[in-house]
C-alpha cells in the first residue's frame, strides 16, 4: 500500500467496543481522505429465523432495515460532527456469519482498510473472545486496524 | 481516543509481511505526520543469541546490533525511498517478540502499531499469527495487521 486507503469499512454489532472502532475509523478516514462505510450484519437466526426467511423480499428487507437501524444510528451518533466532514455510507446485510459477510463486502467494494474492535462478537459464539476479528485476521482480506 | 496517530511503531523481522507492514506504516506516517519507529526483536530462542550467556552488557549490545543489522539495513533502505516522513527511529530488543513489542509501545509512547500477521520463524507460522494476535489483544493502542 503505497498510497492511503481510499475506502475504509467499519463493521458495527451494537456493542460499545464497535462504537470505539467507529470513532477511530472516522478520525482515520478524515486524516487519510478516505470514504467510510458503516456495516451491520443482521443475524438472521436472531432476527426471526425461519419467519424472516419466509417473508417476501420487500417485507424481509424492511425487517432487516428495522433491526439494523438502532445499531447504525448509534454508530452515526458516535461519529457526531465528523459525519459532515466525511463521504460516508452504510451497508446492511442479512447473514449468519459476520466474518463471511464482512470478507465478501471487502472484496466486492474494494475496501482497503478494515477497522474493528478486537472483541467484535460473532453471534452465539460470544464465548470466543473476538471471534469475528480473529477469524478475519487468519484469512485477512485487507489490512485490519484493531482497536483496543 | 480521538487522536490521529503521532507515533507509529512497526515491528520488523525480515519477513515479507513485515516489509508490507513497514510500507503501510510509512504511508500512515506520511499522511498523518507521525513519527515512525521500527523495532527488531532478536528472539530469545534465536540461534543468534547462542553463547550470549557469558558476554558482558556491552558485548551483548554489540552482538544484538550485529544480528539485527541486515534487517535494520533493509528497513532503513525501504524508508529512505519514502518521501515526506517527519521523523524516524529504530530500536533493537532481545526477548519474547510480543512482550518486547508491548514493552516498546509503552516505552516510546507509541499510539499505533502496524505489523504483519505472521512472523519469520516456522514456529510462529504454525501458531497462526500468535505474536500479532497477542499484541492486538494487549496493546493499549490501535494495532493494524497486514498480510
Amino acid at each position: 500500500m503505497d498510497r492511503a486507503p481510499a475506502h475504509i469499512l467499519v463493521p458495527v454489532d451494537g456493542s460499545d467496543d464497535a462504537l470505539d472502532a467507529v470513532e477511530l475509523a472516522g478520525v482515520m478516514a478524515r486524516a487519510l481522505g478516505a470514504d467510510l462505510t458503516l456495516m451491520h450484519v443482521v443475524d438472521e437466526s436472531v432476527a426471526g429465523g425461519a419467519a424472516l426467511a419466509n417473508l417476501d423480499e420487500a417485507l424481509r428487507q424492511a425487517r432487516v432495515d428495522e433491526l439494523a437501524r438502532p445499531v447504525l444510528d448509534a454508530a452515526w451518533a458516535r461519529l457526531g460532527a465528523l459525519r459532515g466532514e466525511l463521504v460516508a455510507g452504510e451497508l446492511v446485510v442479512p447473514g449468519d456469519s459476520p466474518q463471511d459477510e464482512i470478507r465478501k463486502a471487502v472484496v466486492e467494494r474494494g475496501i482497503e482498510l478494515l477497522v474493528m474492535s478486537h472483541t467484535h462478537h460473532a453471534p452465539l459464539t460470544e464465548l470466543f473472545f473476538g471471534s469475528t476479528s480473529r477469524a478475519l485476521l487468519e484469512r485477512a482480506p485487507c489490512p485490519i486496524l484493531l482497536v483496543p | 481516543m480521538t487522536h490521529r496517530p503521532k507515533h507509529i511503531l512497526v515491528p520488523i523481522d525480515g519477513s515479507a509481511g513485515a516489509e508490507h507492514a513497514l510500507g503501510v506504516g510509512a504511508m500512515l506516517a506520511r499522511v498523518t505526520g507521525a513519527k515512525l519507529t521500527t523495532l527488531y526483536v532478536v528472539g530469545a530462542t534465536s540461534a543468534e543469541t547462542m553463547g550470549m550467556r557469558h558476554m558482558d552488557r556491552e558485548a551483548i549490545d554489540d552482538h544484538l546490533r550485529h544480528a539485527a543489522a541486515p534487517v535494520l539495513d533493509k528497513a532503513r533502505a525501504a524508508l529512505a525511498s519514502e518521501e515526506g516522513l517527519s521523523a524516524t527511529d529504530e530500536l533493537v530488543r532481545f526477548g519474547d517478540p510480543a512482550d518486547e513489542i508491548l514493552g516498546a509501545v509503552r516505552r516510546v509512547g507509541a499510539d499505533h502499531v502496524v505489523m504483519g500477521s505472521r512472523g519469520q520463524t516456522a514456529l510462529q507460522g504454525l501458531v497462526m499469527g500468535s505474536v500479532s494476535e497477542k499484541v492486538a489483544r494487549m496493546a493499549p493502542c490501535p494495532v493494524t495487521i497486514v498480510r
Side-chain angles (χ1 to χ4, degrees), chain A residues 22-36:
Chain A
V22 167
E23 187 175 343
L24 183 64
V27 172
M28 295 291 288
R30 186 178 54 182
L32 303 176
D35 292 354
L36 179 68

Side-chain angles (χ1 to χ4, degrees), chain A residues 18-96:
Chain A
L19 294 180
D20 288 344
V22 167
E23 187 175 343
L24 183 64
V27 172
M28 295 291 288
R30 186 178 54 182
L32 303 176
D35 292 354
L36 179 68
T37 296
L38 309 178
M39 176 180 188
H40 179 56
V41 180
V42 175
D43 180 5
E44 291 195 299
S45 62
V46 172
L52 185 66
N54 286 337
L55 293 175
D56 76 43
E57 192 49 44
L59 281 172
R60 185 167 176 263
Q61 191 57 49
R63 176 68 180 139
V64 165
D65 288 343
E66 180 183 89
L67 289 162
R69 201 66 260 150
V71 177
L72 288 166
D73 283 349
W76 289 118
R78 184 61 174 263
L79 278 178
L82 211 49
R83 180 178 186 174
E85 301 178 44
L86 297 172
V87 178
E90 57 184 42
L91 173 64
V92 177
V93 183
D96 51 18

Side-chain angles (χ1 to χ4, degrees), chain B residues 12 68-78 90:
Chain B
I12 52 174
V71 175
L72 291 176
D73 286 349
K74 196 171 155 195
R76 226 176 279 131
E90 58 185 43

Side-chain angles (χ1 to χ4, degrees), chain B:
Chain B
M1 188 199 47
T2 53
H3 63 276
R4 51 162 72 184
K6 293 187 180 69
H7 193 162
I8 299 167
L9 181 74
V10 182
I12 52 174
D13 63 358
S15 68
E19 201 175 320
H20 187 196
L22 187 58
V24 173
M27 176 280 296
L28 265 184
R30 197 174 60 225
V31 173
T32 60
K35 179 178 179 176
L36 176 75
T37 296
T38 51
L39 165 70
Y40 179 56
V41 181
V42 181
T45 57
S46 159
E48 289 140 357
T49 64
M50 300 255 293
M52 278 179 34
R53 201 174 312 168
H54 305 295
M55 296 180 181
D56 62 22
R57 178 64 192 265
E58 203 173 318
I60 288 176
D61 282 352
D62 275 357
H63 190 79
L64 290 183
R65 237 160 265 292
H66 184 72
V71 175
L72 291 176
D73 286 349
K74 196 171 155 195
R76 226 176 279 131
L79 290 181
S81 66
E82 297 274 350
E83 281 169 27
L85 289 178
S86 61
T88 59
D89 198 0
E90 58 185 43
L91 291 171
V92 181
R93 299 289 298 175
F94 163 73
D96 174 74
D99 290 345
E100 291 303 328
I101 292 165
L102 290 165
V105 166
R106 294 189 185 88
R107 207 170 311 110
V108 306
D111 55 7
H112 201 123
V113 177
V114 182
M115 62 189 297
S117 61
R118 273 164 229 190
Q120 180 69 287
T121 68
L123 190 66
Q124 282 172 27
L126 282 176
V127 187
M128 184 101 66
S130 58
V131 175
S132 54
E133 198 190 315
K134 183 173 178 184
V135 171
R137 205 173 56 233
M138 300 181 67
C141 65
V143 177
T144 296
I145 312 278
V146 305
R147 266 181 301 185

